[in-house]
Structures are given as C-alpha cells and as structure tokens.
Amino acid sequence: MIARGLLRSNAASQVSSLVKYVAAAGSLHGTHGFSDASTRCYSSEPSLQTAEENGFKGHSMLAPFTAGWQSTDVHPLVIERSEGSYVYDINGKKYIDALAGLWCTALGGNEPGLVKAATDQLNKLPFYHSFWNRTTKPSLDLANEILSMFTAREMGKVFFTNSGSEANDSQVKLVWYYNNALGRPNKKKFIARSKSYHGSTLIAASLSGLPALHQKFDLPAPFVLHTDCPHYWRFRLPDETEEEFSTRLANNLENLIIKEGPETIAAFIAEPVMGAGGVILPPKTYFEKIQAVLKKYDILLIADEVITAFGRLGTMFGCDMYNIKPDLVSIAKALSSAYMPIGAILVSPEITDVIYSQSNKLGSFAHGFTYSGHPVSCAVAIETLKIYKERNIIEHVNKIAPRFQEGIKAFSGSPIVGEIRGLGLILGTEFVDNKSPNDPFPSEWGVGSIFGAECEKRGMLIRVAGDSIMLSPPLIMTPDEVDEIISKFGDALKGTEERIAELKSKKI
C-alpha cells in the first residue's frame, strides 16, 4: 500500500492508472471510471480530473465489469432517478441515457403502466414458483403472448429465466438434453463467433467471443469453439464484396465443422446484430449462407435476441430483419423494459416434443430456477409487450431511426473515426488513426475513454469498449432528444479530436 501510494505521487502513476483503465475499458463493460481515469493525465478541466465527491468511494459492493482501482480510487456515478430518456445522479446532474441503461430500458425510465403492473401484482401475489405443474397466471399469459409475437417461424414453448446469461446457459443444457434423448451423446459442441457476447455466467461467458470474459476464469469451456467475426469493414480482403466475404465465412464455418466432425457439433449461436462486441451488422447474404451450412450438417441454430428483440432494429425481432429461422431463441432486457429481471427461451415444437418425451421417461425435466416465471416480472413484461403494440413502437422506431442514424453518420468524415455503423436505434463508432482498421491509436491514449468522458461532461451516457463506443437509446426517443444526442456526440467528437491532436504533438 505504501509503495502504491508513492507511485501515485508522481506523473508515472497517472500513466499507470490510465493504462489500467484502458485494460478495463477494453473489456466487455467499461464503466463510469473513464471520466476520471482516461483524462487524469491529459485533461486541463477540473471537472474531468476528479469526480464530484459523493461519499461512496471505496464502497462495499464488488461491482460488475469494474476494475478494483475504480472502486477504491474513484467516486462512482450514482444514479438516483429516471425520467423518460434521462437519468439523474445524486448530485442532481441530468444525463440523456444514450445506452438505455444496458441496452434495455426501451420504454424509458418512468413508464407509469409498468410501475402499476408491478404494484398491482405485488399486492395480489408477490411470489409463487412454477415447479411441479404449479404456476401463476401471469407466467402462463406471458408465454402465450411471446409465442404469438414471434413470427419468424412457429415456436412451441417458452422457458423463463431471470436474465440473458441464464437463458444462454439454459440453451446449452436444453441442447445436450435433446441430443442425449435422441441417442447422440457425442453431439455436444457449440460454435459461437469471435467478438460475440452471450452473457457472463460460466457457459454464457464461454460462448462469448471476448477475451476479457475468459482471462483468469479458465474459460472458455472446452466444448465451445469460435469462428469468424462477420465484421466486413475490419476483416474483408482487398476488393472482396460483402457477398464474397459472407461466402468465405460460411466456408470457414463448414471447414471447422468438418474438422471437428459434424457428429460432434450440436449448435451454432449468434446475435442477429452483435451488440457488446461493437454493434456489428451481418454482411449481405451472411445468415442465408450460414443457415445453409447448419442445415446441411443437422446443427441447431440459436438466435440470441437479448439486445435485438422488441423493436431495437426496427422489426419486432432481429430474426425478422435477417430472415433467420432459429430452433431456439434467447430474449431478455426489453422484454420488461428492464423494470424487472426476466429472460426467456423460445423452444421449437420439434425440440419441445423430444424434451417432453425424455422427461416422461425420467420422471421430470430437472431444470429451472426459483424465480422462473416470477409473477411480478411476468406482469410487468405483459404490460411492456402491450405498450409496444398499443403505441406501435416498431412504427415509431422506423420513423425516428433515419434521423438518428443519418445524424450520427454525418460525423464519419472525422479524421479519428474509422467506421460508424448501425440500424434502427443501435449504433457503433470505431476510432482509428488514418481511417484504417489496421492503424489503431496507441492503447495508452484511451481514445474511446476520452470520448466517453467528453460525452459524460456534456450530460450524455454511452457505452465504451476500448476504442469503440456504442449507442442504444430508449425506443421512445423524441425528435428533439435524437437531435440532443447528435449535438452532444458532435461536441464530444470535436473535443476528442482536439485531445488526439495534443497527444500526437507530444508524441512527435
């Protein structure tokens, strides 16, 4: 501790802290600390040197996706209340929440219908489980509603979880149970994609293709394989079209399947649009060609719709956007607009039949959670889905998305921006030097972190991951709120450009 204190007393300590932050920001979920750490060396503005004191530095919580030094050395950003597309910290500062919490508060922060649904259910039946053929009406009603809303293909049943991570963990168990029932004990491997995100529990983190989720956790599990990330701008060959890129990736997937043995590959999992990996859209014909390979080798397709479901892309589900015909689907987040924890799996009729047959032989389908189908969560989710329909949220997203996408993409000419990509109300920006994917900025500069700090200073919260930043605002955004995001994005970009120019001049 004494040594660490001495280090912090000089300039070298500031660089060390910045490097530590960049490592944290390069992981999956960079947090509020960027407004302090990334600018500790380089900002001349006091507001960015130290966070406003709030008495919670060194708090008692082991915070998710947060480096230890951030909890011990920096005051956390403590959010106290929300209103529509805005949140307010305990000091009263107002922020436009351009990430909708964590991609999830689709209906904003104070939807009275959802509060009433929760309160009414709490007063009526605050809890009952769904084990042993006992359950509650909200869970039954929600299952029916989900099945009726998913139209990419017919699905058979809904299994409730408490999060997207639990949903994807459960997917693996369901698939193993299914293949064991069919007498295929070796068909157990899963293929996911580099830069994908499927959760942080043991199996879900293994499926995820982000190294930070694996390091020092002894992950990924040996039954998980990873194939190419479908990021055309970054990984295309010279003169390769999107269609050719998709063909190459489908061929690589097929070669991996053949190498491992098709009889060992159980399922392929994919987000329709990759979220936490950087908002990566599939290239043209990608899912068409991938699905053909999977069908050829009798491999199940799991659509991870945790971020993309319920209007985020301008369709009710991502599967609708890309003509995906999945065997299994994971949902969460916007299912309840994040007002209550809930996730779910949609199971095809074919898999359902096998699970039922096997559970009849064994006497039980021995999987589930205490809070599976929690009546309060289900009541809130039912009201959420009702609001999506009544307010025609899909039409609203499609009406406002062009203003959002075009407004942000107008900054593509910035010398520090490599690519701005997105559709609907989800968007990612990647910062590089010389506008080339092959010329990253020095990692110790923390360019994404600088941009995040500039946004926060101006009252906007975004997602930072290394030198990529992401936006995923509430679906209820008004035109004026979209314009506010665009304006603050532009001002933050200008501030970041100036900071980069300073850093380059010092480097020279």
Side-chain angles (χ1 to χ4, degrees):
M1 290 297 293
I2 293 173
R4 195 168 71 173
L6 289 172
L7 279 172
R8 288 205 187 104
S9 67
N10 55 40
S13 73
Q14 296 179 317
V15 175
S16 175
S17 295
L18 177 61
V19 171
K20 286 193 292 183
Y21 172 72
V22 170
S27 67
L28 181 67
H29 288 288
T31 54
H32 166 65
F34 61 69
S35 66
D36 310 292
S38 68
T39 53
R40 208 172 286 175
C41 300
Y42 306 119
S43 176
S44 60
E45 300 183 47
S47 63
L48 293 180
Q49 297 281 358
T50 56
E52 192 167 352
E53 293 193 16
N54 55 32
F56 292 103
K57 185 169 74 171
H59 56 75
S60 300
M61 182 172 67
L62 181 59
F65 291 98
T66 303
W69 70 267
Q70 289 175 292
S71 294
T72 58
D73 299 356
V74 181
H75 292 282
L77 174 62
V78 182
I79 300 300
E80 187 170 53
R81 67 185 181 92
S82 55
E83 182 179 325
S85 299
Y86 298 89
V87 295
Y88 298 78
D89 68 21
I90 58 173
N91 298 308
K93 183 174 178 178
K94 179 181 180 181
Y95 306 84
I96 190 162
D97 186 5
L99 191 62
L102 281 174
W103 325 79
C104 51
T105 51
L107 294 176
N110 65 331
E111 176 53 54
L114 302 187
V115 175
K116 184 177 186 301
T119 303
D120 289 350
Q121 186 60 46
L122 281 166
N123 285 327
K124 185 177 183 179
L125 178 69
F127 173 74
Y128 200 74
H129 62 80
S130 289
F131 284 32
W132 315 311
N133 205 33
R134 303 171 188 172
T135 190
T136 66
K137 193 167 185 300
S139 62
L140 296 173
D141 290 345
L142 179 58
N144 285 335
E145 185 63 24
I146 291 170
L147 291 178
S148 71
M149 291 181 72
F150 188 83
T151 59
R153 61 151 294 177
E154 180 189 5
M155 301 303 279
K157 299 290 180 180
V158 174
F159 176 82
F160 287 114
T161 68
N162 305 293
S163 67
S165 291
E166 280 188 5
N168 286 327
D169 253 37
S170 295
Q171 294 282 23
V172 173
K173 289 185 70 177
L174 286 180
V175 170
W176 284 350
Y177 193 87
Y178 168 78
N179 278 324
N180 285 337
L182 292 177
R184 305 191 296 197
N186 296 321
K187 202 170 179 66
K188 299 293 173 61
K189 295 176 185 175
F190 279 68
I191 299 177
R193 302 177 298 175
S194 175
K195 296 197 77 174
S196 63
Y197 179 68
H198 300 292
S200 62
T201 50
L202 190 148
I203 293 178
S206 293
L207 294 172
S208 299
L210 295 165
L213 275 79
H214 304 156
Q215 292 165 358
K216 304 303 181 182
F217 288 112
D218 293 340
L219 298 176
F223 62 84
V224 177
L225 310 168
H226 289 92
T227 190
D228 302 281
C229 170
H231 189 179
Y232 176 68
W233 175 75
R234 178 162 289 282
F235 297 116
R236 71 184 187 272
L237 299 176
D239 301 321
E240 188 176 42
T241 67
E242 285 192 49
E243 291 85 349
E244 291 167 342
F245 179 64
S246 295
T247 298
R248 177 162 63 88
L249 266 54
N251 289 339
N252 289 348
L253 174 62
E254 183 168 20
N255 290 336
L256 176 61
I257 291 168
I258 292 170
K259 176 187 173 184
E260 296 291 328
E263 71 284 356
T264 72
I265 308 296
F268 176 87
I269 185 169
E271 305 155 271
V273 169
M274 299 174 90
V279 184
I280 298 169
L281 280 61
K284 294 174 183 176
T285 71
Y286 175 79
F287 277 111
E288 172 190 339
K289 291 168 180 173
I290 292 296
Q291 288 181 97
V293 172
L294 300 177
K295 185 175 181 180
K296 179 178 179 180
Y297 295 102
D298 191 20
I299 294 169
L300 298 174
L301 172 58
I302 303 169
D304 183 344
E305 292 254 23
V306 170
I307 287 176
T308 54
F310 306 114
R312 177 60 57 189
L313 307 183
T315 52
M316 188 56 73
F317 290 89
C319 289
D320 302 323
M321 175 66 71
Y322 296 110
N323 195 28
I324 300 170
K325 308 295 183 185
D327 300 287
L328 297 147
V329 181
S330 296
I331 58 175
K333 294 191 185 291
L335 175 57
S336 66
S337 191
Y339 280 48
M340 289 293 293
I342 188 170
I345 294 172
L346 285 68
V347 186
S348 73
E350 298 82 5
I351 295 176
T352 299
D353 289 345
V354 172
I355 290 174
Y356 274 16
S357 175
Q358 181 76 334
S359 64
N360 288 341
K361 295 176 185 176
L362 298 177
S364 173
F365 172 59
H367 178 64
F369 308 99
T370 299
Y371 302 128
S372 293
H374 192 290
V376 181
S377 296
C378 288
V380 171
I382 289 168
E383 182 65 20
T384 301
L385 302 187
K386 179 183 175 184
I387 291 172
Y388 291 153
K389 288 183 175 181
E390 289 180 348
R391 299 185 189 171
N392 202 342
I393 201 71
I394 303 302
E395 180 180 328
H396 177 72
V397 170
N398 285 317
K399 184 181 296 184
I400 207 153
R403 189 186 196 109
F404 174 68
Q405 294 290 334
E406 292 166 14
I408 300 295
K409 289 175 181 176
F411 300 111
S412 295
S414 167
I416 66 171
V417 169
E419 183 184 37
I420 300 178
R421 50 188 179 260
L423 79 163
L425 288 181
I426 187 169
L427 184 144
T429 300
E430 196 158 337
F431 298 112
V432 294
D433 203 5
N434 302 314
K435 303 191 77 65
S436 168
N438 300 316
D439 289 334
F441 287 110
S443 60
E444 63 271 18
W445 288 6
V447 175
S449 306
I450 293 171
F451 182 83
E454 293 290 334
C455 287
E456 187 173 316
K457 179 176 70 173
R458 291 167 172 81
M460 183 166 77
L461 300 178
I462 64 166
R463 164 83 164 80
V464 177
D467 282 349
S468 291
I469 65 93
M470 287 146 268
L471 307 178
S472 178
L475 304 186
I476 59 166
M477 297 285 290
T478 66
D480 286 346
E481 289 167 348
V482 169
D483 290 345
E484 181 181 347
I485 287 178
I486 294 167
S487 175
K488 289 181 175 178
F489 186 102
D491 290 344
L493 183 61
K494 183 179 179 181
T496 305
E497 289 172 350
E498 293 170 354
R499 197 71 53 80
I500 299 310
E502 294 173 12
L503 291 170
K504 283 188 171 184
S505 67
K506 291 177 182 178
K507 185 178 178 182
I508 292 171

